[in-house]
């Protein structure tokens, strides 16, 4: 709303403001397409570590205080979240592996 008010003070109509916003989004998408992220998602490794320790995704997500869907997207590689990855890795490091029966 602050953006709308600022642009309205520049005598732009709502239609012009929406056009500006759409152009900004298009520019961001175009830049992302031209320069894709080079870092490899580590979700599979995170998932393998979690499963090796026998921790359900819902339990790890609750421990991290995030919805399990957010952690799931990180694990399958559709979301890059270095901060969440670091927190999850730190928690998994603290948990000892299960004893073999």
């Amino acid at each position: 709303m602050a953006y709308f008010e600022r642009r309205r003070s520049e005598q732009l109509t709502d239609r012009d403001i929406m056009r500006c916003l759409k152009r900004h989004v298009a520019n961001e998408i175009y830049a992302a397409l031209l320069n894709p992220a080079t870092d490899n998602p580590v979700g599979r490794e995170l998932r393998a570590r979690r499963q090796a320790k026998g921790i359900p995704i819902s339990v790890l997500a609750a421990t991290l205080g995030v919805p399990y869907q957010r952690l799931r997207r990180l694990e399958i590689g559709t979301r890059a979240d270095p901060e969440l990855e670091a927190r999850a890795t730190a928690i998994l490091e603290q948990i000892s592996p299960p004893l073999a029966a």
Side-chain angles (χ1 to χ4, degrees), residues 46-57:
L46 184 63
R47 175 182 251 171
R49 276 186 260 150
R50 179 183 57 77
Q51 289 176 337
K53 298 207 178 202
I55 301 170
I57 192 168

Side-chain angles (χ1 to χ4, degrees), residues 2-19:
Y3 178 78
F4 261 80
E5 293 305 320
R6 189 174 70 242
R7 297 301 287 212
R8 279 188 188 125
S9 69
E10 297 172 3
Q11 305 302 318
L12 292 177
T13 65
D14 286 354
R15 188 174 186 175
D16 292 332
I17 296 168
M18 289 302 293
R19 186 173 37 83

Side-chain angles (χ1 to χ4, degrees), residues 30-52:
Y30 183 73
L33 289 173
L34 289 181
N35 304 309
T38 57
D39 55 341
N40 295 326
V42 295
R44 289 189 184 133
E45 297 164 8
L46 184 63
R47 175 182 251 171
R49 276 186 260 150
R50 179 183 57 77
Q51 289 176 337

Side-chain angles (χ1 to χ4, degrees), residues 6-95:
R6 189 174 70 242
R7 297 301 287 212
R8 279 188 188 125
S9 69
E10 297 172 3
Q11 305 302 318
L12 292 177
T13 65
D14 286 354
R15 188 174 186 175
D16 292 332
I17 296 168
M18 289 302 293
R19 186 173 37 83
C20 292
L21 287 171
K22 288 178 184 178
R23 180 170 290 160
H24 178 71
V25 170
N27 287 339
E28 291 291 320
I29 292 171
Y30 183 73
L33 289 173
L34 289 181
N35 304 309
T38 57
D39 55 341
N40 295 326
V42 295
R44 289 189 184 133
E45 297 164 8
L46 184 63
R47 175 182 251 171
R49 276 186 260 150
R50 179 183 57 77
Q51 289 176 337
K53 298 207 178 202
I55 301 170
I57 192 168
S58 57
V59 172
L60 182 58
T63 304
L64 292 167
V66 297
Y68 83 92
Q69 295 93 341
R70 183 173 166 196
L71 188 58
R72 180 180 168 277
R73 284 188 226 116
L74 176 66
E75 286 188 353
I76 63 175
T78 59
R79 178 188 183 104
D81 192 341
E83 187 267 333
L84 179 60
E85 175 206 334
R87 287 177 40 213
T89 301
I91 287 176
L92 288 174
E93 294 291 325
Q94 295 172 358
I95 299 171

